[in-house]
């Protein structure tokens, strides 16, 4: 009886250790997801242009001074880096990991950033925005910027998360107003356009504007991913959400949903490792 009991406790102990190792790996081992976006709107000079997307850091650190994450980004050899919100977590505000990351990655490539819902909920964004700008980050708030190579260009559009609006206006209306504001002085609709917007559930709105490529986050991959099914739950989408990871297409618009790097309310990722997205632009053949 005692031997059986000791053996049972040994199995329990081994099971606990294996679970700890599994969860540590799931929450700290970064995966790189590669995508290709082809378009006849893309100038030839941008063929092979590489965009790295990061999202939803939520204060998380990956090694001393973000060394593990930074090394992964360096190896991807990006031409530009985009960050689609929630660089901090409003429930346990700590800007140091995000500022340290930005200080490192602006040395790799130009960095463009838009807000997520947690920046606004924290009520500390004014201070954070100033620090991000001081590191050299391009903070995009319902604005456009052009990236040029030689005489050719592509256009970045960056919009705030709709939670910035504290009124009763629906998120889709707020975001539409933000996009309209960003595009108000744009008269060249043939330019290849990239939208940075935290919310993936608004794809049908984005597709109305002739946008070629959208980068979003927010859904955390569904937090727990069920094999062969997908994400379990996501904010603003509920159970078994549609937009949690990978590519989604509406009309001529391709949206990439980044599963994010950190966690917020729920502290664990399951079958849902932290993600860096790498998109290579290609001209149509």
């Amino acid at each position: 009886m005692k031997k059986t009991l000791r053996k049972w406790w040994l199995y329990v102990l081994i099971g606990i250790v294996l679970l700890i190792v599994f969860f540590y790996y799931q929450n700290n081992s970064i995966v790189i997801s590669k995508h290709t976006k082809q378009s006849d709107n893309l100038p030839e000079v941008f063929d092979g242009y590489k965009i790295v997307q990061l999202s939803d850091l939520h204060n998380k650190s990956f090694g001393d001074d973000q060394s593990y994450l930074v090394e992964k980004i360096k190896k991807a050899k990006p031409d530009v880096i985009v960050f689609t919100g929630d660089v901090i977590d409003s429930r346990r505000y700590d800007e140091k990991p995000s500022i340290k990351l930005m200080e490192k990655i602006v040395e790799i490539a130009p960095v463009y950033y838009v807000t997520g819902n947690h920046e606004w909920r924290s009520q500390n964004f004014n201070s954070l925005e100033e620090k991000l700008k001081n590191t050299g980050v391009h903070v995009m708030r319902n604005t456009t910027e052009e990236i040029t190579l030689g005489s050719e260009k592509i256009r970045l559009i960056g919009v705030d998360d709709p939670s910035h609006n504290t009124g009763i206006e629906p998120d889709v209306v707020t975001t539409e107003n933000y996009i309209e504001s960003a595009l108000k002085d744009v008269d060249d609709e043939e330019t290849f356009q990239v939208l940075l917007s935290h919310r993936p559930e608004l794809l049908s709105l984005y597709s109305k504007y002739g946008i070629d490529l959208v980068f979003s986050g927010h859904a955390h991959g569904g937090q727990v991913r069920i094999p062969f099914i997908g994400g379990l739950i996501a904010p603003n989408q509920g159970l078994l959400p549609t937009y949690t990871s990978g590519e989604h297409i509406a009309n001529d618009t391709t949206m990439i949903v980044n599963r994010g790097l950190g966690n917020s309310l729920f502290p664990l990722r399951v079958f849902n490792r932290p993600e860096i997205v790498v998109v290579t632009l290609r001209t149509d053949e």
Side-chain angles (χ1 to χ4, degrees):
M1 183 68 176
K2 286 184 178 179
K3 282 186 178 180
T4 303
L5 193 60
R6 279 200 300 268
K7 202 178 279 188
W8 186 83
W9 276 110
L10 179 61
Y11 291 150
V12 170
L13 182 60
I14 291 171
I16 291 171
V17 170
L18 290 175
L19 275 176
I20 290 171
V21 171
F22 172 77
F23 284 125
Y24 181 85
Y25 179 78
Q26 287 290 304
N27 287 268
N28 293 279
S29 177
I30 298 170
V31 63
I32 294 187
S33 300
K34 296 181 179 180
H35 304 265
T36 299
K37 170 61 179 178
Q38 290 186 315
S39 173
D40 56 7
N41 281 346
L42 187 70
E44 288 282 349
V45 71
F46 281 93
D47 187 63
Y49 194 84
K50 198 175 289 185
I51 304 172
V52 160
Q53 181 203 12
L54 310 172
S55 198
D56 298 270
L57 184 67
H58 286 277
N59 303 350
K60 187 169 177 63
S61 292
F62 291 89
D64 294 337
D65 292 340
Q66 301 285 15
S67 57
Y68 175 56
L69 175 54
V70 170
E71 191 58 32
K72 287 277 190 181
I73 297 167
K74 278 183 180 177
K75 286 182 179 178
K77 298 181 179 178
D79 294 291
V80 67
I81 300 168
V82 299
F83 200 112
T84 49
D86 284 359
V87 74
I88 53 86
D89 193 278
S90 61
R91 296 180 180 88
R92 44 190 173 84
Y93 188 87
D94 180 8
E95 63 192 29
K96 290 179 183 178
S98 57
I99 297 302
K100 178 56 67 176
L101 174 63
M102 295 302 187
E103 288 173 348
K104 298 287 186 180
I105 64 176
V106 294
E107 297 175 357
I108 300 172
V111 178
Y112 294 85
Y113 158 90
V114 294
T115 60
N117 51 302
H118 277 259
E119 280 86 343
W120 298 116
R121 289 178 184 172
S122 74
Q123 300 185 341
N124 289 309
F125 182 65
N126 289 341
S127 170
L128 177 63
E129 180 181 22
E130 183 178 356
K131 290 172 183 175
L132 289 171
K133 287 180 175 179
N134 287 340
T135 67
V137 172
H138 299 260
V139 178
M140 301 189 69
R141 301 198 50 206
N142 312 322
T143 54
T144 63
E145 294 200 30
E146 291 180 350
I147 296 176
T148 59
L149 289 178
S151 60
E152 302 288 355
K153 66 183 180 182
I154 61 175
R155 179 179 297 118
L156 287 186
I157 306 161
V159 294
D160 277 331
D161 186 81
S163 59
H164 181 213
N165 179 12
T166 57
I168 59 173
E169 195 173 69
D171 288 348
V172 64
V173 174
T174 298
T175 303
E176 185 165 24
N177 290 337
Y178 289 166
I179 294 173
E180 291 281 356
S181 177
L183 294 175
K184 66 180 184 300
D185 295 323
V186 170
D187 56 8
D188 176 13
E189 296 182 0
E190 297 304 312
T191 297
F192 185 90
Q193 298 191 114
V194 179
L195 173 66
L196 311 182
S197 181
H198 189 58
R199 302 291 186 98
E201 69 272 13
L202 302 178
L203 173 59
S204 60
L205 169 64
Y206 307 148
S207 68
K208 289 170 52 178
Y209 287 89
I211 292 164
D212 298 277
L213 180 60
V214 180
F215 289 100
S216 289
H218 189 50
H220 292 209
Q223 200 67 52
V224 173
R225 294 191 68 78
I226 304 170
F228 310 110
I229 295 176
L232 179 62
I233 190 168
N236 303 102
Q237 295 187 68
L239 288 170
L240 300 178
T242 302
Y243 306 115
T244 62
S245 179
E247 293 186 26
H248 302 268
I249 297 173
N251 298 324
D252 294 324
T253 298
T254 298
M255 180 176 70
I256 306 290
V257 184
N258 189 305
R259 297 199 304 271
L261 292 162
N263 298 314
S264 184
L265 181 62
F266 189 76
L268 296 173
R269 291 170 168 263
V270 182
F271 301 115
N272 181 27
R273 291 160 59 194
E275 181 180 47
I276 295 171
V277 165
V278 182
V279 175
T280 301
L281 304 182
R282 293 291 184 190
T283 56
D284 276 354
E285 297 178 357

